Amino acid sequence: MAAQPTIRPYDDAAVADAAALIRAGGIVAVPTETVYGLAADATEAAAVARIYAAKGRPSFNPLIVHVPDLAAAETIAVFDNAARALAHRWWPGPLTLVLPLRRAAGIAALVTAGLDTIALRVPAHRAMQALLRASGRPLAAPSANASNTISPTRAAHVAASLGARVPLILDDGPSAAGLESTIVGRGAILRPGPITAEQLGLPLAAPGGEITAPGQLKTHYAPAKPLRLEAVQAAPDEWLIGFGPVVGDDTLSAAGDPVEAAARLFDALHRADASARAAIAVAPVPERGIGAAINDRLRRAAHR
């Protein structure tokens, strides 16, 4: 039987052990309010390389760096008034800001994939905040799953995807938001997420072009099986994920609540991928509000 990672329930002792691994240049899976992240010291190139190796992630895809507060973020990136206003309004929380990197910040070049900008976030989750403070390091932490597979919202998802490639998983239950953070840069939303365009008062960036932030690959968050969107009924070989009036084998929200749907999205995709059916179908989800982020993830998951 293949080796498995150690899963530890969140407590002070588990955080202390995780922080020791981080300071020694290792990687740790840790919950955030968005999804579970795979964390390493963002100032150590060898540690960051272990993230890429564990995930099989393309090195041109930059990573989000997590810090405990705005003061720590300002030692790493240059904030203008607009960025500072967003940070004051939405941090700690599921907002990532792409900002000019300070040359003397000490961040490993592998984190930014050679760009002169950096993606920064102050997380709200107690486990990630505890690990940041216990380790005393800024933490690069993409989602804790193999690259181009479904993002993890539970410790069991991490273990199933990465196995022994991650030595320790902190388990603090399912992620509340269930979607990766909203990313903002240059006055536009580069990746939709739990904080909506309507809440931010910002436009969505035009699709295409070079990779300037995490989560912009055309194919991403993908199950192993083919995925069909806008489905109102299942074909014989499909597992149907319903929404609202569309009843399936599973549902994102029987009540048609997009916030509930966001929290359940990746969990539902994991169950569908593990089913005996050959393919997956997903019911329509309205594009408004957080529905834009749900549909962004589904379109990338369906892209082949």
Side-chain angles (χ1 to χ4, degrees):
M1 184 175 178
Q4 291 296 307
T6 298
I7 300 177
R8 296 272 300 277
Y10 169 80
D11 61 19
D12 290 346
V15 170
D17 288 346
L21 276 172
I22 293 290
R23 290 193 299 271
I27 56 176
V28 173
V30 56
T32 79
E33 69 273 27
T34 57
V35 298
Y36 274 64
L38 188 61
D41 182 353
T43 68
E44 290 291 336
V48 176
R50 291 186 179 96
I51 293 177
Y52 283 98
K55 286 178 63 68
R57 184 183 178 95
S59 60
F60 56 80
N61 197 6
L63 306 178
I64 295 173
V65 173
H66 298 69
V67 291
D69 50 38
L70 175 57
E74 294 211 66
T75 68
I76 295 172
V78 178
F79 282 70
D80 59 16
N81 289 337
R84 197 171 287 109
L86 286 170
H88 280 300
R89 172 66 181 85
W90 297 107
W91 280 356
L95 177 69
T96 294
L97 297 176
V98 177
L99 299 165
L101 175 67
R102 292 188 184 275
R103 290 188 178 183
I107 299 296
L110 194 55
V111 169
T112 62
L115 300 173
D116 59 3
T117 56
I118 188 165
L120 285 175
R121 184 164 92 84
V122 175
H125 197 285
R126 65 177 185 174
M128 180 58 108
Q129 276 287 344
L131 183 58
L132 283 163
R133 296 183 187 282
S135 65
R137 306 288 198 274
L139 298 178
S143 56
N145 58 300
S147 189
N148 200 30
T149 64
I150 306 167
S151 296
T153 57
R154 298 174 183 271
H157 296 163
V158 180
S161 184
L162 295 180
R165 285 176 282 174
V166 55
L168 176 62
I169 303 170
L170 293 182
D171 184 358
D172 200 19
S175 299
L179 286 177
E180 296 85 356
S181 61
T182 304
I183 300 180
V184 170
R186 297 179 182 175
I189 296 172
L190 304 179
R191 180 180 72 184
I195 301 172
T196 67
E198 292 85 350
Q199 289 173 304
L200 291 167
L202 295 174
L204 289 172
E210 64 182 7
I211 302 297
T212 59
Q216 292 185 305
L217 296 176
K218 288 183 179 179
T219 303
H220 210 17
Y221 319 110
K225 297 173 181 177
L227 179 64
R228 181 169 67 93
L229 306 181
E230 305 291 324
V232 294
Q233 60 184 23
D237 63 342
E238 287 180 332
W239 177 278
L240 176 60
I241 300 173
F243 177 80
V246 178
V247 178
D249 301 282
D250 198 350
T251 184
L252 296 177
S253 173
D257 179 352
V259 175
E260 180 184 22
R264 289 176 55 87
L265 176 62
F266 290 131
D267 213 12
L269 286 173
H270 278 285
R271 286 192 293 270
D273 219 21
S275 78
R277 311 280 173 79
I280 304 167
V282 183
V285 177
E287 190 74 20
R288 63 183 177 272
I290 200 170
I294 295 169
N295 287 315
D296 169 77
R297 303 308 191 274
L298 286 171
R299 284 189 287 268
R300 294 176 194 273
H303 188 275
R304 296 281 170 174

